[in-house]
Structure formats: structure tokens, C-alpha cells
Amino acid sequence: MQLVAFNRENAARLLVSYLNSQKVAAKYAFDTTDSDHNSMPHQVLLSDPEQFTLAKHLCEEFIADPQNPKYQNLAWQSDPVGNLSDKTLGLPSLKLSAVKQSPLTWLVLVCCLTVYILSVFGAFGWVRSTLTIQDLGLLLESGQWWRVITPAFIHFSEIHLVFNLLWWWYLGRQIEAKFGTSALLMIFAVSAIVSNIGQLLVSGPNFGGLSGVVYAVVGFVWWIGWLRPKWGLRLPNAMIGFLLVWLILGYADLLWVSMANTAHTAGLISGCALAWWFVRIGDKRKS
């Protein structure tokens, strides 16, 4: 049963952690049923209705003085590696529950790691012959259409891999938690296809990396945060600025690595467009 709802996710998660520290079973949930017009979609759910009286009293205390240090202190003491710390630090949790909450985020991460390990240990020839994209004429003849997506799994260095996977993990699991696995799958597939074909047309088939998809999830979160801030999904302006500057430096050829600039740009545009489409669909469903 719902105990209370907030317009900010951090407040809801902090209260959940505090309630759990007081032996009141509670959990966080994001309300997607009316998220377009719901100004308080971040819910605190009570697991045991018999604890409602105590939970209500603790909730009223929290609302009256949410900045009291005891909430933050007790939250960390009771859940040092759980939801609050994961949310704050953005670190992967190896708990089975974390995998179940973000299955596609984990699947893409594991696929990228597996392909990189195979490449390092002598199977790069197989990776290149099986996963790289082909010219559109060859694709029409071979019918191997998976190749318009699989270059996203190929990485050429540890820095390349780590950079992309950190961004994917940080943003992909947020999108999956808010909108579901099917939504993240659509964003991944559309952005991978658009960015890979775009890069193919500009520079040929010799490229790889998750960067196009990464720029897509950046664009998606950026525009969702701008168009519908009450949905609780946002990216700090400093991070957006950093990635946009990185994109510009790639075009200026001022970096020490070769950049798939077209894939980055196409991914960013596709992510922003998908965010706009998500908002439009929400508007139409409401009307």
C-alpha cells in the first residue's frame, strides 16, 4: 500500500531507507500510470499494512524536518551497499535482485565485455568477420542484418570499453527502471542501427563501439529531463557539457584517438528524438 509520494526520487529513497532502519518494511516505486501529469510519481510503499500507524508517524517526522542528519546517517548505517549507495555512487551491484531490475543493461554490458575478452585472447578475426557491419549492398545479398547492431559490442581498447560501459551503466539502468526493459531495448536498437549505418555511409565498415548508443541515452535523458522534469530523470548540466565538448573535439580532430563522430552525432539526435516521441505518446494517451 502507498504511504506517501514525492516529486523527487532522492527524498522517497531516503525515507525508504530510514523506515527500513526502524524495522518498518517499505520500498520505493515509480508511478508510470499517470506520469505525464503526476507531479509526485516517486512513491513509498508499505509492505505490511499493520505497520501503517508507526510508518505514518515516522513519515510525518521526516516531512517536518527532512534535512535532519539522523535520516542520512541511519540510511547509510542500515543500507551501506544497497539502493541508496548504488544510486549515489552509480556502482554496479552484483546482487541477483540488481540484475533482475536491469536485465537489458546487464546483458549489453556482459556482451561488450565478452566480445572484448574474445578479441584480446585471439578471436578478433572471428569478431571482425562476424560482428562488423557490411556495405549495404553486401547486407542485401547476405541477409545478415544483425550486423547493423553488433558493431556496438566491439571495442578496441580498455579505455574505449570502460568509458562506454560506465556511461551505459549509469544511464541505461535509470531508463530501464523508469520506463521498462522494452523501452530501453527500443532506444538501444534504434540508436545502434541509426549510428552504425550513419558511420558506415561516411567512413566505411571499419569501426565499432557503444558510443553511438551512449550518446543516444545521454540525449534521451537530457531531453526527458528538459521536457518532463517531474518524471525524475535528468542529467547534470556539467555532464552534458562535457560530452558535447568531447563531440566537438572529435570533429576538430584534437583528440589522441580516432573518433566515430558520425555515430556519436546520429546517436545523440536519435536519443533526443526518441525522448520527444515518448513525451508526445504520453500526451496523446492522456488526451
Side-chain angles (χ1 to χ4, degrees):
M1 63 179 296
Q2 179 178 317
L3 176 65
V4 67
F6 296 89
N7 60 2
R8 296 183 64 86
E9 181 176 351
N10 288 345
R13 289 189 179 276
L14 186 59
L15 178 57
V16 166
S17 295
Y18 176 65
L19 289 173
N20 289 333
S21 74
Q22 301 302 303
K23 309 303 182 184
V24 175
K27 62 181 181 180
Y28 166 82
F30 180 76
D31 179 19
T32 59
T33 59
D34 188 26
S35 55
D36 187 44
H37 290 276
N38 187 355
S39 61
M40 293 189 177
H42 305 286
Q43 301 179 344
V44 176
L45 303 182
L46 195 61
S47 302
D48 184 1
E50 294 183 359
Q51 294 183 303
F52 178 77
T53 302
L54 175 59
K56 181 181 179 182
H57 173 71
L58 295 174
C59 179
E60 290 173 347
E61 286 187 344
F62 175 82
I63 293 174
D65 185 18
Q67 302 301 323
N68 193 312
K70 73 176 183 180
Y71 299 120
Q72 187 72 54
N73 294 337
L74 285 174
W76 279 102
Q77 292 170 12
S78 64
D79 188 17
V81 293
N83 289 333
L84 186 62
S85 57
D86 284 350
K87 185 69 178 177
T88 303
L89 299 176
L91 298 176
S93 171
L94 296 179
K95 295 179 180 178
L96 181 60
S97 59
V99 178
K100 289 181 178 179
Q101 290 171 3
S102 308
L104 182 61
T105 304
W106 274 102
L107 179 61
V108 171
L109 188 149
V110 169
C111 285
C112 290
L113 286 172
T114 301
V115 170
Y116 185 73
I117 291 171
L118 289 173
S119 300
V120 169
F121 287 95
F124 182 73
W126 175 86
V127 168
R128 184 171 183 176
S129 64
T130 306
L131 302 183
T132 54
I133 198 169
Q134 295 175 332
D135 290 332
L136 295 181
L138 289 176
L139 280 176
L140 288 171
E141 293 179 6
S142 67
Q144 297 177 352
W145 293 105
W146 68 81
R147 292 178 180 272
V148 298
I149 291 180
T150 51
F153 300 126
I154 304 172
H155 292 84
F156 303 107
S157 69
E158 291 87 350
I159 295 177
H160 189 204
L161 177 70
V162 170
F163 180 87
N164 282 339
L165 291 189
L166 284 176
W167 280 103
W168 168 254
W169 170 258
Y170 177 65
L171 296 174
R173 63 173 183 159
Q174 293 185 50
I175 296 172
E176 194 166 9
K178 294 288 188 288
F179 299 105
T181 299
S182 59
L184 182 61
L185 177 60
M186 182 180 68
I187 295 168
F188 171 82
V190 170
S191 62
I193 292 170
V194 169
S195 61
N196 287 337
I197 291 179
Q199 190 65 43
L200 169 69
L201 295 175
V202 171
S203 65
N206 297 319
F207 66 90
L210 195 65
S211 303
V213 176
V214 165
Y215 268 92
V217 294
V218 168
F220 183 86
V221 173
W222 173 24
W223 271 47
I224 285 290
W226 177 48
L227 295 172
R228 290 293 183 273
K230 60 188 176 185
W231 284 6
L233 200 64
R234 63 178 298 273
L235 194 61
N237 291 334
M239 290 186 177
I240 297 171
F242 167 77
L243 286 167
L244 292 179
V245 169
W246 189 263
L247 182 65
I248 294 171
L249 290 176
Y251 274 106
D253 199 22
L254 297 176
L255 299 172
W256 62 95
V257 292
S258 177
M259 303 289 286
N261 297 314
T262 302
H264 296 173
T265 304
L268 180 65
I269 294 172
S270 65
C272 295
L274 285 168
W276 176 84
W277 182 76
F278 265 60
V279 171
R280 291 284 294 174
I281 290 297
D283 289 341
K284 288 181 180 180
R285 287 180 177 176
K286 187 62 181 177
S287 61

